[in-house]
Amino acid sequence: MDKMDIGRFKPKVSIIGCGNVGIRYAYALVLNSLARDIMLVDIDRAKAEGESMDLSHASAFLPAVDVQAGGYEDISGSDLVVITAGKSQTKGADRLELTQVNIDLFKKIIPQIMEYAPEAIFLVVTNPVDILSYATYKISEKPARQVIGSGTTLDTARLKSEIAKHCKLNAKNIHAYILGEHGDSEVAIWSSAMVGGILFKDFCPLCKQARSRCFDEDLKDIFESVKDSAYEIIKRKGETSYGVGVALAAITRAVLNNQNSILPVSTLVDGVLGIKDVYLSLPAVLNRNGIREVLDLRFSTSEQRSLKESASKLKNVIKGSGL
């Protein structure tokens, strides 16, 4: 049995950073039996050890999983390394305000990951995720397809949820994307949004609710609710972690199970709409090798303009960071 076959039967996931997001993700991994080996690495070794002990106690109720705490040398043999370490977004702060401090941290983290797990797929979660995914790609010098940012996976789930609430339907019947930056310049792609296989714009006249169609202000309200949701959650409880933990589990499942699933992750863009050399979210096919391909969607004129503006904003931040 070759190394890849062994990986399929016993995948190893290493999590760098044991804050709220890292541990919610680890918990989702355990509950969904997505990994047999989970390695927790944190600057606070005692905390990582406590988290591993706590998570291990769930093993009596679930399929076998080995959760341990360790150092970078213990991530050797990982199939997937997930990076959640870094300064978190605080109340009232923009995600991009975290840029320089977290880039400096990544300049220390990434070389250590490369030393012990150079063959792993890297999944970047720390904000600003698009900038730090690009930083990881540059620092590691890994192929871009092996460096993935969590991107707008959670934002897209939030959009589906809000549309479903508006239409009084199950969110699983909604197909729509938030693309571009995971942040204030993100873009709702209404032109291809679908409800039950019907384009959203064509579904409205068929809806049996009070009105026969949605108005621009309805769509704006839905999008604003999605875009502001993280700020609203942070204002109330200080952090967001449950939703992103489950979103990361979905990305992990796509990669480790070789699913060829389409998810809106942050990826290196090289020519889409003339955009180059920047990470932002587009629908991508994910499998065991990372990003198999990026889908070439058709966008409306306004969506194209907004995506270009989002890319320009990110490129300006990258330029200012010295990457």
Side-chain angles (χ1 to χ4, degrees), residues 101-313:
V101 63
N102 283 338
I103 286 177
D104 291 341
L105 177 63
F106 270 48
K107 288 178 179 178
K108 300 175 182 177
I109 288 176
I110 302 305
Q112 296 183 81
I113 299 174
M114 285 299 295
E115 181 177 356
Y116 294 105
E119 301 301 319
I121 302 297
F122 290 3
L123 175 56
V124 181
V125 185
T126 311
N127 278 318
V129 67
D130 305 292
I131 304 297
L132 292 173
S133 297
Y134 183 83
T136 300
Y137 160 67
K138 284 292 189 179
I139 296 166
S140 69
E141 298 184 344
K142 285 175 68 67
R145 63 182 172 80
Q146 295 180 1
V147 179
I148 306 167
S150 54
T152 56
T153 304
L154 178 57
D155 308 79
T156 290
R158 289 167 173 161
L159 178 63
K160 292 178 180 181
S161 177
E162 289 298 321
I163 294 174
K165 187 190 304 181
H166 179 79
C167 296
K168 296 181 173 60
L169 294 170
N170 190 303
K172 291 182 178 180
N173 299 127
I174 311 300
H175 298 277
Y177 290 119
I178 295 284
L179 300 179
E181 178 200 4
H182 170 58
D184 293 337
S185 70
E186 63 189 26
V187 184
I189 309 301
W190 291 109
S191 63
S192 60
M194 303 185 81
V195 179
I198 303 169
L199 284 172
F200 188 71
K201 64 181 180 65
D202 296 329
F203 177 81
C204 289
L206 304 177
C207 182
K208 303 301 182 183
Q209 303 303 320
R211 292 193 309 223
S212 61
R213 68 187 181 90
C214 293
F215 296 92
D216 288 344
E217 57 264 31
D218 295 311
L219 304 187
K220 181 180 179 181
D221 288 345
I222 290 171
F223 176 54
E224 290 298 325
S225 177
V226 170
K227 190 169 68 170
D228 295 340
S229 59
Y231 297 116
E232 293 297 321
I233 295 169
I234 291 170
K235 182 169 68 176
R236 288 164 172 79
K237 62 177 285 237
E239 51 87 22
T240 67
S241 54
Y242 291 104
V244 69
V246 176
L248 294 174
I251 297 172
T252 300
R253 183 181 293 108
V255 173
L256 296 184
N257 292 353
N258 202 37
Q259 286 186 330
N260 291 305
S261 294
I262 301 171
L263 290 169
V265 294
S266 190
T267 181
L268 184 69
V269 182
D270 187 23
V272 176
L273 301 178
I275 300 168
K276 291 186 177 182
D277 198 35
V278 66
Y279 264 71
L280 53 76
S281 286
L282 292 172
V285 180
L286 300 180
N287 63 22
R288 189 73 180 190
N289 296 314
I291 295 176
R292 192 190 80 186
E293 63 182 294
V294 175
L295 300 188
D296 188 8
L297 289 187
R298 294 182 178 179
F299 302 106
S300 70
T301 300
S302 63
E303 290 164 357
Q304 290 182 40
R305 182 174 59 252
S306 295
L307 285 170
K308 289 178 181 179
E309 290 172 355
S310 186
S312 178
K313 177 182 178 181

Side-chain angles (χ1 to χ4, degrees), residues 55-67:
L55 286 166
S56 294
H57 294 161
S59 62
F61 308 101
L62 299 164
V65 59
D66 184 16
V67 185

